[in-house]
Amino acid sequence: MKKDKKYLFYRLFRYVTPYKSAIVISVFAMVAIAIFEPMVPALLTPLIDENLIKNSSESSWKIPLFLIIIFIFKGLAEYIANVSSQWIANKAISEIRQDVFEHQLLLPLKTHQNETPGRITSRFLYDIPQISASLSSAWIILIRDSLVLFALTSYLFYISWTLTIIMLLVAPPIAFLINNVGKKMRSSNVEIQEATGELAKAIDQSIKGIREIKLYGNEKQQNLTFKQVSEYIRKKTMHVVKLSAANVPTVQVLAALAVTVVIYVATLLSEQNELTPGQFVSFIAAMSLLFEPIRRLTGVNSVIQKGIAASKSIFNLLDLEQEKTNGNKNSLMKATFVFQNSDSPLISFKNVVFKYTNQDELALNNVTFEIFRNESIGVVGRSGSGKSTIFNLLSGFYKISDGQIKINSKNIEVIPLKILRKNISWVGQPVVLFDDSVKSNILVGNPNATDDEILRALDASNSKEFVEKLKNKINFSIGPNGALLSGGQCQRLAIARSLVRNAPIFLFDEATSALDSRSENLIHNAITKTKRDKTIITIAHRISTIKECDRIFVFDSGRLIQIGNHNDLIQQDGMYRELVSASEGKINYRPK
Ligand code: ADP
Ligand code: MG
């Protein structure tokens, strides 16, 4: 555990080390504060013993002048220490924030899907600010206040050994108490952080699913879940509050006890003339100056504990393995030409077996097929039969359990993912668009697309008509995930996005499911006309969508059970005919 904590510190510290000069400046400023701190009580000794008791009036202005000068310099040092420490902390924190975001994008889909969106959001909104607080305030308090403590204690020793040692006897019980409470607080803080993730998830769902919640009258259930989490957070927070609230007075009572003892002993000492009145006042003043740094140092524990808990979750994420990019530099060079010439199949699946980690059944079971250049392939099958999984594997989102996938005779695992994906235009299920303008959304497909290419893509995807009617047209902002457009319009934009990408392989996963047959046909004709030199794989629910494809693959429960063109397949007594009939409404659809 302890080693673990040290390691976290070390890792956090590595974010700070690049700013060496700022660290030096801030430490110097803190040393200056520590030097100035005992000077104020030190001035009290001559003030009382010389100026007040002996009434020597000749230099009565000197000590007040010194006092003000000390305060000015101390103030300046405080300012420099604060600003420079905050600067370092904020530099480090923005770096951590960017690292986390970047790393999150590079995680494999599998890892990414294991996390709730709420947990991801709370990492940015809760964990990282926690580290920031820990880094900035803890850094100042730990260094400055320790130095001040050291300086003041040295001064106390200088005045009276006996008194100081008595005072120090009270320190260990205080330290023990602080440590104990801190441990309890840390475990509660971790629980609070996890619950905050749950809370964020509930909020997120209530926003995304507002229509479903209202229509299904699900408000009560949603409220209940939210209330439970919210109550849990309140209870745990109160637990922490109680612990930390009890912490401060306990320390103070112990300190007061020390003061009482010290005052008593001081009285004895001054009776024996070992302590002048000025020294006595100076000692008490310096001792009282100790309390603030001690209080801050005890309070800083909870900030640090929170920061450590938070940094643990951040570093755990940063330690998750990134998506393997596949291939080395050389294979990258070769793979650039992957999709050119050669008569061998463009895509080949050989006895491919695949299972999602969190599922019991195989998503694909011994699937074998070949697809040639410029072929158009239709994929049909009942929902859950493994159609989309084919696209997931082709895009390199998952690794297969058994068998082999080759693209242009190259094992898919040696093709760098960047290059593989560059060669794929994909319209997914469900369609996801960004909260931005029509134009920006299309440019996602290809940032270099010219205005002319964008217009052609809009035309081919049958989007031109409705885009023309939007306010601001192509610059219209479509809302979160296209909320301001209809489902069909979103699909058409997603198709336009895939068209400007102009990759050799097109994957359409129920890309036209929200459109009527007429628009669907218009789009299909446009695509097949403009994309003669492309390999197009279309997953479709409606048979009419894929009727014209060169070949049709029929999937059932993860198996590829029929291959052929429409006319051949319709002759056979099999799943395809069943699907066609169901699609035409002759036989009732038989759900599994
Ligand atoms: P289809 O596209 O034919 O409807 P899929 O290929 O999406 O079917 O899914 C095949 C099977 O794999 C289904 O049983 C589905 O529940 C499961 N599945 C799909 N995607 C995932 C995923 N990301 N994680 C776990 N299981 C999945
Ligand atoms: Mg699917």
Side-chain angles (χ1 to χ4, degrees):
M1 197 69 211
K2 201 153 191 191
K3 211 171 165 191
D4 203 28
K5 218 156 107 179
K6 251 191 210 158
Y7 169 73
L8 290 174
F9 262 128
Y10 168 72
R11 257 184 105 163
L12 267 183
F13 199 67
R14 269 204 318 218
Y15 278 93
V16 174
T17 40
Y19 313 111
K20 287 195 184 70
S21 41
I23 292 178
V24 171
I25 291 174
S26 89
V27 170
F28 261 110
M30 292 186 207
V31 170
I33 296 172
I35 291 173
F36 288 127
E37 191 78 8
M39 284 190 183
V40 179
L43 280 177
L44 291 177
T45 315
L47 180 77
I48 291 171
D49 289 346
E50 307 293 322
N51 289 26
L52 299 183
I53 294 180
K54 291 186 186 157
N55 252 333
S56 58
S57 56
E58 61 205 91
S59 57
S60 57
W61 53 272
K62 258 190 193 161
I63 289 171
L65 183 72
F66 273 136
L67 268 178
I68 195 72
I69 290 174
I70 288 169
F71 272 104
I72 287 172
F73 278 104
K74 206 180 96 167
L76 205 66
E78 296 256 14
Y79 175 82
I80 294 173
N82 268 318
V83 171
S84 55
S85 323
Q86 287 282 359
W87 185 84
I88 300 165
N90 280 289
K91 271 279 190 188
I93 225 59
S94 70
E95 211 146 286
I96 292 177
R97 197 159 44 206
Q98 288 154 22
D99 277 1
V100 170
F101 191 77
E102 190 183 341
H103 193 81
Q104 213 137 248
L105 289 181
L106 295 177
L107 288 177
L109 213 57
K110 195 169 81 186
T111 321
H112 213 269
Q113 283 171 343
N114 281 341
E115 284 202 295
T116 64
R119 184 72 196 93
I120 296 176
T121 317
S122 88
R123 202 169 277 136
F124 287 98
L125 300 187
Y126 188 87
D127 294 352
I128 294 182
Q130 209 63 260
I131 300 179
S132 170
S134 176
L135 269 181
S136 56
S137 62
W139 161 267
I140 297 184
I141 292 172
L142 275 180
I143 298 184
R144 178 196 58 195
D145 289 341
S146 309
L147 287 172
V148 166
L149 225 55
F150 176 75
L152 284 174
T153 322
S154 311
Y155 176 67
L156 290 178
F157 269 117
Y158 168 75
I159 299 185
S160 167
W161 276 89
T162 340
L163 273 184
T164 313
I165 284 170
I166 287 169
M167 190 199 74
L168 286 181
L169 284 180
V170 194
I174 296 180
F176 175 75
L177 235 119
I178 297 159
N179 215 359
N180 228 3
V181 179
K183 258 183 219 156
K184 283 197 188 129
M185 266 195 281
R186 188 171 51 200
S187 68
S188 298
N189 275 324
V190 172
E191 285 162 12
I192 292 176
Q193 262 154 280
E194 274 159 13
T196 309
E198 285 294 307
L199 201 71
K201 180 173 114 184
I203 297 169
D204 190 58
Q205 282 188 352
S206 77
I207 297 169
K208 290 211 179 99
I210 185 72
R211 243 172 263 208
E212 283 74 6
I213 292 170
K214 281 183 186 299
L215 283 171
Y216 291 112
N218 195 229
E219 294 93 342
K220 229 179 185 166
Q221 185 53 42
Q222 293 284 336
N223 269 328
L224 195 71
T225 319
F226 190 82
K227 252 189 207 153
Q228 278 166 351
V229 184
S230 163
E231 259 309 288
Y232 179 79
I233 292 179
R234 185 191 65 79
K235 281 195 188 130
K236 282 284 161 197
T237 310
M238 278 319 291
H239 183 64
V240 173
V241 166
K242 279 182 200 158
L243 282 177
S244 64
N247 196 19
V248 174
T250 317
V251 171
Q252 281 175 349
V253 167
L254 283 169
L257 204 71
V259 174
T260 320
V261 176
V262 166
I263 290 180
Y264 176 69
V265 177
T267 327
L268 295 183
L269 286 177
S270 78
E271 272 169 12
Q272 295 160 12
N273 276 335
E274 279 183 27
L275 211 61
T276 68
Q279 281 174 326
F280 173 74
V281 173
S282 179
F283 189 93
I284 298 294
M287 197 173 79
S288 64
L289 282 179
L290 282 176
F291 295 147
E292 259 313 289
I294 288 179
R295 195 190 58 77
R296 279 196 298 255
L297 279 169
T298 58
V300 81
N301 193 36
S302 87
V303 182
I304 294 178
Q305 298 307 341
K306 278 187 202 163
I308 287 179
S311 68
K312 210 173 194 171
S313 105
I314 293 296
F315 290 138
N316 278 347
L317 175 94
L318 287 177
D319 286 341
L320 290 178
E321 207 174 333
Q322 292 186 353
E323 194 171 45
K324 289 220 168 56
T325 49
N326 293 347
N328 52 27
K329 241 185 180 163
N330 289 335
S331 74
L332 196 117
M333 292 302 291
K334 278 181 227 146
T336 321
F337 309 107
V338 134
F339 299 123
Q340 290 167 17
N341 53 56
S342 148
D343 291 325
S344 53
L346 179 63
I347 299 168
S348 92
F349 273 50
K350 203 171 160 201
N351 305 110
V352 170
V353 177
F354 176 72
K355 186 174 88 65
Y356 290 99
T357 26
N358 47 356
Q359 298 277 3
D360 292 333
E361 292 195 14
L362 294 178
L364 289 183
N365 190 352
N366 205 14
V367 170
T368 302
F369 62 77
E370 286 178 340
I371 295 175
F372 293 87
R373 226 162 293 274
N374 305 345
E375 249 194 318
S376 70
I377 301 289
V379 179
V380 291
R382 290 192 176 122
S383 158
S385 56
K387 306 182 297 289
S388 298
T389 303
I390 299 277
F391 285 8
N392 276 337
L393 296 180
L394 275 178
S395 314
F397 286 136
Y398 301 92
K399 256 184 86 149
I400 53 176
S401 325
D402 203 5
Q404 199 172 43
I405 300 177
K406 280 186 172 176
I407 296 189
N408 204 36
S409 314
K410 250 200 171 73
N411 191 327
I412 194 164
E413 281 170 25
V414 306
I415 303 174
L417 280 178
K418 264 219 157 84
I419 290 176
L420 177 69
R421 291 176 186 165
K422 212 173 182 168
N423 285 285
I424 291 175
S425 277
W426 177 79
V427 183
Q429 174 204 37
V431 159
V432 173
L433 296 170
F434 296 99
D435 186 3
D436 209 334
S437 67
V438 170
K439 184 175 173 178
S440 311
N441 265 291
I442 293 177
L443 285 176
V444 169
N446 174 7
N448 303 320
T450 62
D451 280 356
D452 194 43
E453 282 169 327
I454 292 176
L455 285 180
R456 261 186 290 150
L458 284 173
D459 199 19
S461 62
N462 201 14
S463 313
K464 209 171 175 180
E465 201 181 333
F466 83 83
V467 170
E468 221 101 272
K469 287 186 193 143
L470 297 172
K471 206 179 143 191
N472 305 335
K473 305 207 160 68
I474 194 166
N475 294 315
F476 177 76
S477 220
I478 63 168
N481 202 17
L484 301 179
L485 300 177
S486 76
Q489 289 170 338
C490 286
Q491 280 195 335
R492 282 184 265 184
L493 281 193
I495 293 170
R497 175 173 69 187
S498 77
L499 291 176
V500 294
R501 188 162 186 78
N502 207 22
I505 299 177
F506 273 83
L507 304 180
F508 291 129
D509 192 348
E510 312 228 355
T512 48
S513 59
L515 300 176
D516 55 90
S517 307
R518 202 187 72 92
S519 324
E520 185 177 45
N521 281 336
L522 280 176
I523 294 174
H524 260 273
N525 292 340
I527 292 175
T528 37
K529 226 184 278 163
T530 49
K531 305 291 176 194
R532 282 229 178 83
D533 56 341
K534 307 291 178 196
T535 309
I536 303 176
I537 312 179
T538 311
I539 296 177
H541 190 65
R542 261 179 293 198
I543 298 295
S544 60
T545 318
I546 47 94
K547 216 168 161 179
E548 310 288 333
C549 288
D550 298 332
R551 282 190 300 152
I552 294 164
F553 294 176
V554 184
F555 278 85
D556 186 31
S557 311
R559 289 176 183 278
L560 175 54
I561 52 169
Q562 283 180 293
I563 300 181
N565 66 28
H566 176 75
N567 290 333
D568 293 342
L569 288 176
I570 199 87
Q571 307 292 331
Q572 298 170 14
D573 186 19
M575 172 67 88
Y576 187 74
R577 199 148 77 184
E578 216 174 287
L579 289 169
V580 171
S581 312
S583 167
E584 287 167 357
K586 279 183 194 157
I587 310 176
N588 281 338
Y589 180 67
R590 272 199 326 231
K592 271 206 294 188

